[in-house]
Amino acid sequence: MVLNYTKVIADPALGWIRLTNEEARFIDTCRYMQRLRYIHQLGLTFMVYPSATIVGLSIHLALFK
């Protein structure tokens, strides 16, 4: 089975994450996945250290890799 990747996301830790059309549509439309964009794993640490940006969405995107 050949997968057609339509969307590519750059992750600083994992590199390039390639998504199929169905996966990209799920991430873009699912309200629970969109909510993960605003959940920071390190609390307010990212305000002091800008590079400390571990967001819940990036952790879940690692599952697609």
Side-chain angles (χ1 to χ4, degrees), residues 39-56:
I39 297 176
H40 294 275
Q41 300 294 326
L42 299 176
L44 297 176
T45 307
F46 73 96
M47 297 181 88
V48 178
Y49 303 103
S51 62
T53 56
I54 301 176
V55 182

Side-chain angles (χ1 to χ4, degrees), residues 28-45:
D28 291 340
T29 59
C30 182
R31 67 180 183 165
Y32 300 110
M33 291 296 283
Q34 293 300 317
R35 185 176 181 272
L36 292 173
R37 290 181 190 260
Y38 306 107
I39 297 176
H40 294 275
Q41 300 294 326
L42 299 176
L44 297 176
T45 307

Side-chain angles (χ1 to χ4, degrees), residues 3-65:
L3 295 176
N4 293 326
Y5 296 108
T6 57
K7 189 171 188 176
V8 178
I9 299 173
D11 186 81
L14 299 172
W16 299 101
I17 300 173
R18 299 180 303 180
L19 301 173
T20 62
N21 193 24
E22 291 82 19
E23 294 169 343
R25 191 172 13 160
F26 174 74
I27 291 171
D28 291 340
T29 59
C30 182
R31 67 180 183 165
Y32 300 110
M33 291 296 283
Q34 293 300 317
R35 185 176 181 272
L36 292 173
R37 290 181 190 260
Y38 306 107
I39 297 176
H40 294 275
Q41 300 294 326
L42 299 176
L44 297 176
T45 307
F46 73 96
M47 297 181 88
V48 178
Y49 303 103
S51 62
T53 56
I54 301 176
V55 182
L57 183 62
S58 65
I59 293 171
H60 285 75
L61 284 178
L63 299 174
F64 288 107
K65 184 158 181 150

